[in-house]
Amino acid sequence: MRTLALCLALSLGPAHAQDTGPVTLDPAAVLALGAEPWLDRAGFRDRLDLALGGITLDMPRLPEELRAADPFLWSLTGRFGAPLAGSSVPGGLFACSRYGLSTRDLMAETSLTDPRAFALFGATQAAHDDAEAWPEAGLARLACTITWDDTRRVAIIPEGPATAALQARFDEVLRLGDAEMLGADWQSQPPRYGEDGYRLEARFGRQTSVLVHDSALIELTVGHQAIRFRAFLLNGGV
Protein backbone atom coordinates (compact mmCIF):
# COMPACT_ATOMS: atom_id res chain seq x y z
CA MET A 1 0.00 0.00 0.00
CA ARG A 2 2.77 2.48 0.92
CA THR A 3 4.82 1.49 -2.15
CA LEU A 4 1.82 2.06 -4.41
CA ALA A 5 1.11 5.42 -2.81
CA LEU A 6 4.75 6.48 -3.27
CA CYS A 7 4.74 5.47 -6.93
CA LEU A 8 1.55 7.39 -7.54
CA ALA A 9 2.93 10.46 -5.82
CA LEU A 10 6.09 10.37 -7.94
CA SER A 11 4.14 9.87 -11.16
CA LEU A 12 1.99 12.89 -10.43
CA GLY A 13 5.06 15.14 -10.26
CA PRO A 14 5.38 18.68 -8.96
CA ALA A 15 1.68 19.52 -9.36
CA HIS A 16 1.23 18.22 -5.81
CA ALA A 17 4.15 20.10 -4.27
CA GLN A 18 1.79 22.33 -2.31
CA ASP A 19 -0.39 19.52 -0.97
CA THR A 20 -0.52 19.26 2.79
CA GLY A 21 0.58 16.13 4.58
CA PRO A 22 -1.82 13.31 5.38
CA VAL A 23 -4.28 13.41 8.26
CA THR A 24 -2.90 11.44 11.20
CA LEU A 25 -5.59 9.71 13.23
CA ASP A 26 -5.33 9.01 16.93
CA PRO A 27 -6.78 5.50 17.32
CA ALA A 28 -7.64 6.19 20.97
CA ALA A 29 -9.71 9.23 19.96
CA VAL A 30 -11.53 7.26 17.27
CA LEU A 31 -12.33 4.38 19.63
CA ALA A 32 -13.52 6.88 22.24
CA LEU A 33 -16.46 7.65 19.95
CA GLY A 34 -17.87 4.27 20.90
CA ALA A 35 -18.08 5.34 24.53
CA GLU A 36 -20.83 7.87 23.79
CA PRO A 37 -23.76 5.98 22.25
CA TRP A 38 -26.22 8.50 23.73
CA LEU A 39 -25.13 11.28 21.35
CA ASP A 40 -27.67 12.43 18.78
CA ARG A 41 -26.76 12.76 15.11
CA ALA A 42 -25.50 16.35 15.37
CA GLY A 43 -23.46 15.64 18.49
CA PHE A 44 -21.85 12.54 17.02
CA ARG A 45 -21.14 14.35 13.75
CA ASP A 46 -19.19 17.02 15.65
CA ARG A 47 -17.15 14.42 17.58
CA LEU A 48 -16.48 12.46 14.39
CA ASP A 49 -15.36 15.64 12.63
CA LEU A 50 -12.76 16.24 15.34
CA ALA A 51 -11.55 12.63 15.45
CA LEU A 52 -11.10 12.36 11.66
CA GLY A 53 -9.59 15.79 11.12
CA GLY A 54 -12.58 17.12 9.19
CA ILE A 55 -15.38 15.29 7.39
CA THR A 56 -17.68 15.80 4.41
CA LEU A 57 -21.14 14.24 4.71
CA ASP A 58 -22.54 12.40 1.70
CA MET A 59 -25.76 10.82 2.87
CA PRO A 60 -28.91 12.96 3.29
CA ARG A 61 -31.08 12.57 6.35
CA LEU A 62 -33.13 9.40 6.62
CA PRO A 63 -36.73 9.34 5.38
CA GLU A 64 -39.06 10.83 7.94
CA GLU A 65 -41.09 7.63 8.29
CA LEU A 66 -38.00 5.72 9.47
CA ARG A 67 -36.89 8.41 11.92
CA ALA A 68 -40.40 8.89 13.29
CA ALA A 69 -40.64 5.21 14.19
CA ASP A 70 -37.30 5.11 16.04
CA PRO A 71 -36.09 8.09 18.12
CA PHE A 72 -32.62 6.49 18.35
CA LEU A 73 -32.17 6.12 14.59
CA TRP A 74 -29.59 8.21 12.74
CA SER A 75 -26.98 7.58 10.05
CA LEU A 76 -23.84 9.37 8.88
CA THR A 77 -21.76 8.54 5.81
CA GLY A 78 -19.11 10.55 4.06
CA ARG A 79 -15.46 11.25 3.34
CA PHE A 80 -12.37 12.49 5.13
CA GLY A 81 -8.66 12.98 4.54
CA ALA A 82 -6.25 15.73 3.56
CA PRO A 83 -7.03 17.50 0.26
CA LEU A 84 -5.06 16.42 -2.78
CA ALA A 85 -4.76 18.78 -5.75
CA GLY A 86 -6.34 17.47 -8.92
CA SER A 87 -8.07 14.50 -7.22
CA SER A 88 -11.73 14.08 -6.41
CA VAL A 89 -11.29 10.56 -5.02
CA PRO A 90 -11.80 10.49 -1.23
CA GLY A 91 -8.86 9.57 0.95
CA GLY A 92 -11.10 7.76 3.40
CA LEU A 93 -14.73 6.80 3.92
CA PHE A 94 -16.85 6.44 7.03
CA ALA A 95 -20.26 5.00 7.84
CA CYS A 96 -21.67 5.41 11.35
CA SER A 97 -25.16 4.72 12.58
CA ARG A 98 -27.32 4.19 15.63
CA TYR A 99 -30.64 2.41 15.85
CA GLY A 100 -32.99 1.32 18.60
CA LEU A 101 -35.24 -1.56 19.55
CA SER A 102 -38.07 -0.68 17.18
CA THR A 103 -35.72 -0.77 14.17
CA ARG A 104 -34.10 -3.98 15.40
CA ASP A 105 -37.50 -5.65 15.63
CA LEU A 106 -38.58 -4.28 12.26
CA MET A 107 -35.48 -5.68 10.57
CA ALA A 108 -36.12 -9.06 12.16
CA GLU A 109 -39.60 -9.04 10.66
CA THR A 110 -38.57 -7.67 7.24
CA SER A 111 -37.71 -9.99 4.37
CA LEU A 112 -34.66 -9.10 2.32
CA THR A 113 -36.96 -8.98 -0.71
CA ASP A 114 -39.07 -6.27 0.91
CA PRO A 115 -38.22 -2.81 -0.55
CA ARG A 116 -38.11 -1.46 3.00
CA ALA A 117 -35.12 -3.70 3.68
CA PHE A 118 -32.86 -1.65 1.43
CA ALA A 119 -33.57 1.55 3.34
CA LEU A 120 -33.32 -0.13 6.74
CA PHE A 121 -30.12 -2.10 6.22
CA GLY A 122 -28.53 0.70 4.22
CA ALA A 123 -29.25 3.23 6.96
CA THR A 124 -28.14 1.10 9.89
CA GLN A 125 -25.20 -0.88 8.40
CA ALA A 126 -26.49 -3.64 10.64
CA ALA A 127 -24.12 -6.52 11.39
CA HIS A 128 -25.25 -10.12 11.19
CA ASP A 129 -24.80 -10.61 14.94
CA ASP A 130 -26.27 -7.33 16.24
CA ALA A 131 -29.35 -9.03 17.64
CA GLU A 132 -27.30 -11.83 19.19
CA ALA A 133 -24.93 -9.40 20.92
CA TRP A 134 -27.71 -7.04 22.04
CA PRO A 135 -27.62 -6.71 25.87
CA GLU A 136 -30.77 -7.47 27.80
CA ALA A 137 -30.99 -3.85 28.96
CA GLY A 138 -29.95 -2.46 25.58
CA LEU A 139 -31.90 0.40 24.01
CA ALA A 140 -29.79 1.14 20.94
CA ARG A 141 -26.74 0.00 19.00
CA LEU A 142 -24.00 2.36 17.76
CA ALA A 143 -21.44 1.27 15.17
CA CYS A 144 -18.85 2.81 12.86
CA THR A 145 -16.72 1.61 9.96
CA ILE A 146 -13.87 3.92 8.97
CA THR A 147 -11.59 2.91 6.11
CA TRP A 148 -8.92 4.46 3.88
CA ASP A 149 -6.47 3.40 1.18
CA ASP A 150 -4.51 6.53 0.16
CA THR A 151 -1.59 7.21 2.49
CA ARG A 152 -1.01 10.58 0.85
CA ARG A 153 -4.24 11.74 2.45
CA VAL A 154 -4.63 9.61 5.59
CA ALA A 155 -1.57 8.18 7.33
CA ILE A 156 -1.42 4.56 8.40
CA ILE A 157 -1.73 3.63 12.06
CA PRO A 158 1.20 1.38 13.04
CA GLU A 159 0.49 -1.75 15.02
CA GLY A 160 1.98 -0.47 18.28
CA PRO A 161 -0.34 2.53 18.78
CA ALA A 162 -3.31 0.50 17.51
CA THR A 163 -2.64 -2.24 20.06
CA ALA A 164 -2.19 0.25 22.89
CA ALA A 165 -5.45 2.03 22.06
CA LEU A 166 -7.41 -1.23 22.03
CA GLN A 167 -5.80 -2.59 25.20
CA ALA A 168 -6.73 0.61 27.03
CA ARG A 169 -10.44 -0.03 26.39
CA PHE A 170 -10.88 -3.78 25.97
CA ASP A 171 -10.02 -6.77 28.12
CA GLU A 172 -9.23 -9.05 25.18
CA VAL A 173 -7.20 -8.11 22.10
CA LEU A 174 -6.40 -10.83 19.58
CA ARG A 175 -3.82 -10.35 16.83
CA LEU A 176 -4.22 -12.08 13.49
CA GLY A 177 -2.11 -12.08 10.33
CA ASP A 178 -1.84 -14.00 7.08
CA ALA A 179 -0.90 -17.26 8.81
CA GLU A 180 -3.92 -17.19 11.14
CA MET A 181 -6.39 -15.94 8.53
CA LEU A 182 -5.34 -18.16 5.61
CA GLY A 183 -4.48 -21.37 7.46
CA ALA A 184 -1.75 -23.92 6.84
CA ASP A 185 -1.24 -22.96 3.17
CA TRP A 186 -0.91 -19.23 3.85
CA GLN A 187 2.54 -19.03 2.22
CA SER A 188 1.09 -20.17 -1.11
CA GLN A 189 -1.67 -17.54 -1.08
CA PRO A 190 -1.47 -13.89 -2.13
CA PRO A 191 -0.66 -11.85 0.98
CA ARG A 192 -3.58 -10.04 2.56
CA TYR A 193 -1.75 -8.32 5.37
CA GLY A 194 1.84 -8.24 4.17
CA GLU A 195 4.99 -7.67 6.22
CA ASP A 196 3.70 -4.74 8.27
CA GLY A 197 0.00 -5.63 8.18
CA TYR A 198 -2.11 -6.85 11.05
CA ARG A 199 -5.64 -7.51 12.25
CA LEU A 200 -6.47 -6.69 15.86
CA GLU A 201 -9.83 -7.88 17.18
CA ALA A 202 -10.94 -6.59 20.59
CA ARG A 203 -13.79 -7.70 22.85
CA PHE A 204 -15.14 -7.15 26.35
CA GLY A 205 -14.81 -3.39 26.56
CA ARG A 206 -16.00 -0.91 29.14
CA GLN A 207 -19.39 -1.72 30.67
CA THR A 208 -21.32 0.67 32.90
CA SER A 209 -24.93 1.32 33.80
CA VAL A 210 -25.34 3.31 30.58
CA LEU A 211 -23.23 1.56 27.94
CA VAL A 212 -21.48 -1.56 26.75
CA HIS A 213 -18.44 -0.98 24.52
CA ASP A 214 -18.92 -4.33 22.85
CA SER A 215 -16.13 -4.79 20.31
CA ALA A 216 -13.65 -3.14 17.98
CA LEU A 217 -11.27 -3.96 15.15
CA ILE A 218 -8.24 -2.23 13.67
CA GLU A 219 -6.57 -3.77 10.65
CA LEU A 220 -3.93 -2.89 8.08
CA THR A 221 -3.92 -4.93 4.88
CA VAL A 222 -1.90 -4.53 1.70
CA GLY A 223 -4.78 -2.52 0.25
CA HIS A 224 -6.40 -0.48 3.00
CA GLN A 225 -6.69 0.29 6.68
CA ALA A 226 -9.90 0.12 8.70
CA ILE A 227 -11.27 0.80 12.18
CA ARG A 228 -14.59 -0.64 13.31
CA PHE A 229 -16.37 -0.56 16.64
CA ARG A 230 -19.75 -1.35 18.16
CA ALA A 231 -21.37 -0.21 21.38
CA PHE A 232 -24.80 -0.40 23.00
CA LEU A 233 -26.77 2.20 24.93
CA LEU A 234 -28.43 0.79 28.05
CA ASN A 235 -31.53 1.80 30.00
CA GLY A 236 -29.52 4.00 32.34
CA GLY A 237 -28.48 6.18 29.42
CA VAL A 238 -31.91 7.72 28.91
Side-chain angles (χ1 to χ4, degrees):
M1 180 173 66
R2 291 182 291 280
T3 301
L4 176 59
L6 178 61
C7 291
L8 287 173
L10 292 173
S11 68
L12 289 171
H16 296 277
Q18 297 181 351
D19 291 332
T20 61
V23 169
T24 300
L25 302 184
D26 177 358
V30 176
L31 293 174
L33 294 168
E36 298 182 296
W38 51 80
L39 289 174
D40 63 9
R41 185 178 187 272
F44 197 88
R45 177 198 60 212
D46 292 344
R47 300 293 179 88
L48 188 66
D49 185 73
L50 288 174
L52 300 187
I55 63 174
T56 300
L57 295 182
D58 288 339
M59 187 174 182
R61 286 186 173 272
L62 298 171
E64 180 60 34
E65 59 272 19
L66 290 180
R67 292 194 292 122
D70 184 350
F72 294 105
L73 178 62
W74 55 254
S75 180
L76 294 165
T77 64
R79 297 159 283 145
F80 70 101
L84 189 65
S87 175
S88 60
V89 178
L93 301 171
F94 63 85
C96 299
S97 63
R98 188 185 71 174
Y99 70 91
L101 289 167
S102 58
T103 298
R104 183 198 67 177
D105 295 342
L106 180 58
M107 287 192 293
E109 300 168 356
T110 304
S111 168
L112 291 178
T113 60
D114 189 321
R116 294 179 302 169
F118 295 100
L120 283 170
F121 287 96
T124 62
Q125 295 99 41
H128 70 281
D129 63 341
D130 277 354
E132 177 183 344
W134 202 287
E136 183 178 356
L139 292 178
R141 182 233 61 173
L142 167 69
C144 273
T145 296
I146 301 162
T147 183
W148 62 99
D149 60 6
D150 189 339
T151 57
R152 298 169 298 173
R153 303 184 62 179
V154 185
I156 66 166
I157 300 174
E159 184 174 349
T163 301
L166 290 168
Q167 289 178 338
R169 289 189 171 271
F170 295 88
D171 292 339
E172 179 180 290
V173 178
L174 177 65
R175 186 196 189 280
L176 300 174
D178 282 329
E180 295 84 357
M181 294 295 291
L182 297 175
D185 61 342
W186 68 273
Q187 290 181 314
S188 64
Q189 301 295 321
R192 178 176 179 181
Y193 293 96
E195 182 179 354
D196 298 321
Y198 60 87
R199 180 183 176 93
L200 300 170
E201 298 179 358
R203 300 188 301 163
F204 309 120
R206 179 186 176 196
Q207 183 168 351
T208 71
S209 62
V210 298
L211 76 96
V212 173
H213 208 163
D214 175 69
S215 59
L217 175 146
I218 303 179
E219 69 173 355
L220 174 64
T221 72
V222 295
H224 76 283
Q225 184 152 40
I227 301 176
R228 301 184 182 94
F229 61 79
R230 178 172 64 186
F232 293 94
L233 176 67
L234 306 184
N235 283 332
V238 178

